[in-house]
Amino acid sequence: MADSNGNSKHENGETKIKAKPRIERNRVLVTGGAGFVGSHLCTYLVERGDHVICVDNFFTGSKENVAHLLGKTNFELIRHDVVEKLLLEVDQIYHLACPASPVHYKYNPIKTIKTSFIGTMNMLGLAKRTRARFLLTSTSEVYGDPLEHPQTEGYWGNVNCIGERSCYDEGKRAAECLTFDYQREHNLEVRVVRIFNTYGPHMALDDGRVVSNFVAQALTGQPLTIYGDGQQTRSFQYVSDLVEGMVRVMDGPYTGPFNIGNPTEFTMLELAQVVKEVVNPDAQIVYKENTADDPSRRKPDISKAKKALGWEPKVALREGLSRMVSDFAKRLGVEAPKVPGRA
Ligand SMILES: NC(=O)c1ccc[n+]([C@@H]2O[C@H](COP(=O)([O-])OP(=O)(O)OC[C@H]3O[C@@H](n4cnc5c(N)ncnc54)[C@H](O)[C@@H]3O)[C@@H](O)[C@H]2O)c1
């Protein structure tokens, strides 16, 4: 006779425990999962039912970014530096761990290039041991100061290999090289995305990137700082579009590299004007000298991702900015402005 748990006594006196149904879940490692992009990716994967293991050394990321996931049974957080080896059993690896903003990656450039190269090699080693599918988050910075516009994945780039930004740019180029070498040499399933400027909630307030700078300045009543003449262009992608693109690349059949970005171009001056409109119409604009090696134009050609994966960004700049304002206002301890059309 079975008891209320379904366990029964065998005639030899042993209790036979009823097997619990096995829940088949993808075990997904997200390195850098407590950072800006990683925290949104972890949320997406946890919500769709994957078992997510978030690994981070909290250099630029924070526990607060994933605090809403900490009680979930399908989420684990591990403090670990990817420059050190890691032993886990996983089915997929999203490798994001690496500081992404110039202030952070220039803070300790040798550590940045170690994170890019050794960190990526360690995670590829883990993928090789577990036969996990591996996705590298590369960057539009592999194109350097591009001589082709817009940039397709076939463009080899124009990078200054001894400049201040090269710890990041060359680090990512070496990480891409390693990733494809692991595919060629070990037949590993790899995926590569080249991410273009992305913004949204959970960006570090002090990361010096233009969108977070402008939004924080507008919210706190400071002038918006434009470096250079404001005519350099960038394209800005809202973080939910990026997450959707990354997941499609990981789950899809193609290796890439894929450009994942929003091709709509804005000059810095136009961006400042949209931020004024959405956040604080009274904000002033000031101009300062530009930094070294700042690319003058950057715009993705996303036809490859569109054709192969049916992916394209959906969130327009005004909408995306209004979605990130309340998170920034909360963290800055100021009142969020009323965004037109939102409660
Ligand atoms: N956000 C963008 O616009 C953008 C653009 C291009 C590429 N990317 C790439 O996407 C990834 C995520 O970027 P993000 O914007 O979320 O940056 P982020 O700085 O917010 O996140 C990076 C995360 O990696 C962690 N990390 C850094 N070094 C580590 C190490 N050695 N070991 C373990 N964890 C480490 C940080 O603590 C942080 O949580 C990065 O690889 C970045 O190069 C981002």
Side-chain angles (χ1 to χ4, degrees):
M1 242 325 242
D3 66 15
S4 57
N5 292 322
N7 302 331
S8 54
K9 282 264 187 231
H10 191 264
E11 54 200 17
N12 66 9
E14 292 293 322
T15 302
K16 191 176 168 203
I17 306 289
K18 190 183 171 214
K20 294 204 174 65
R22 198 164 164 245
I23 303 168
E24 287 294 346
R25 276 186 168 143
N26 238 357
R27 282 176 64 83
V28 185
L29 169 62
V30 179
T31 74
F36 157 49
V37 175
S39 58
H40 291 278
L41 176 64
C42 286
T43 305
Y44 180 101
L45 297 171
V46 164
E47 280 173 5
R48 88 170 181 184
D50 289 340
H51 186 99
V52 176
I53 305 162
C54 167
V55 162
D56 206 294
N57 71 350
F58 301 120
F59 171 46
T60 53
S62 72
K63 218 170 168 179
E64 284 76 61
N65 284 343
V66 288
H68 58 291
L69 300 174
L70 289 177
K72 310 257 186 203
T73 50
N74 58 334
F75 181 75
E76 289 172 61
L77 176 61
I78 302 175
R79 182 180 201 128
H80 179 83
D81 194 308
V82 293
V83 168
E84 306 298 329
K85 285 198 165 48
L86 178 68
L87 292 177
L88 289 170
E89 295 305 321
V90 286
D91 304 304
Q92 291 186 335
I93 301 172
Y94 285 89
H95 180 45
L96 281 71
C98 183
S101 81
V103 258
H104 294 143
Y105 68 64
K106 287 181 193 171
Y107 173 75
N108 185 344
I110 297 171
K111 174 71 194 215
T112 300
I113 200 158
K114 268 171 86 178
T115 294
S116 248
F117 186 74
I118 302 174
T120 302
M121 193 164 71
N122 283 337
M123 294 308 110
L124 282 161
L126 176 63
K128 182 182 161 218
R129 190 179 62 76
T130 56
R131 300 315 294 174
R133 189 177 283 183
F134 175 89
L135 180 142
L136 173 73
T137 53
S138 184
T139 169
S140 56
E141 302 286 336
V142 298
Y143 301 124
D145 193 353
L147 304 174
E148 274 183 22
H149 201 75
Q151 294 82 50
T152 64
E153 291 85 349
Y155 178 51
W156 288 359
N158 176 38
V159 176
N160 174 0
C161 67
I162 55 167
E164 276 183 18
R165 302 168 80 110
S166 58
C167 60
Y168 183 70
D169 304 2
E170 296 291 9
K172 288 286 186 179
R173 288 168 69 94
E176 283 202 22
C177 164
L178 257 184
T179 303
F180 284 100
D181 281 341
Y182 266 77
Q183 183 201 33
R184 286 183 284 258
E185 211 170 313
H186 300 298
N187 202 21
L188 207 65
E189 279 196 56
V190 300
R191 304 285 183 266
V192 175
V193 291
R194 292 182 181 153
I195 303 172
F196 284 66
N197 277 1
T198 304
Y199 67 97
H202 299 179
M203 286 181 90
L205 297 170
D206 63 345
D207 74 2
R209 285 189 262 188
V210 64
V211 177
S212 45
N213 267 0
F214 283 177
V215 170
Q217 287 168 334
L219 278 168
T220 52
Q222 295 168 57
L224 314 189
T225 318
I226 290 183
Y227 294 93
D229 62 5
Q231 293 311 309
Q232 65 274 44
T233 66
R234 291 291 183 281
S235 56
F236 301 102
Q237 159 172 250
Y238 189 68
V239 65
S240 59
D241 285 329
L242 168 60
V243 168
E244 176 71 36
M246 286 165 67
V247 172
R248 283 211 200 181
V249 173
M250 175 64 107
D251 292 345
Y254 306 107
T255 300
F258 285 105
N259 286 340
I260 300 290
N262 190 322
T264 315
E265 245 180 321
F266 290 86
T267 66
M268 294 301 106
L269 186 57
E270 284 166 340
L271 172 69
Q273 276 150 355
V274 181
V275 170
K276 271 177 67 141
E277 248 173 66
V278 175
V279 186
N280 179 1
D282 299 328
Q284 304 293 308
I285 295 176
V286 293
Y287 292 85
K288 286 195 180 161
E289 202 183 320
N290 207 354
T291 54
D293 294 337
D294 186 35
S296 54
R297 291 182 85 187
R298 186 66 70 61
K299 171 182 160 148
D301 179 322
I302 57 164
S303 4
K304 190 173 163 186
K306 249 184 180 168
K307 192 159 168 246
L309 311 161
W311 172 88
E312 63 182 316
K314 296 190 190 97
V315 183
L317 184 61
R318 269 184 190 72
E319 170 62 19
L321 284 173
S322 63
R323 288 193 203 171
M324 76 184 274
V325 166
S326 58
D327 166 68
F328 264 57
K330 196 165 134 209
R331 286 188 287 147
L332 287 163
V334 299
E335 208 177 313
K338 287 255 174 303
V339 176
R342 291 193 151 229

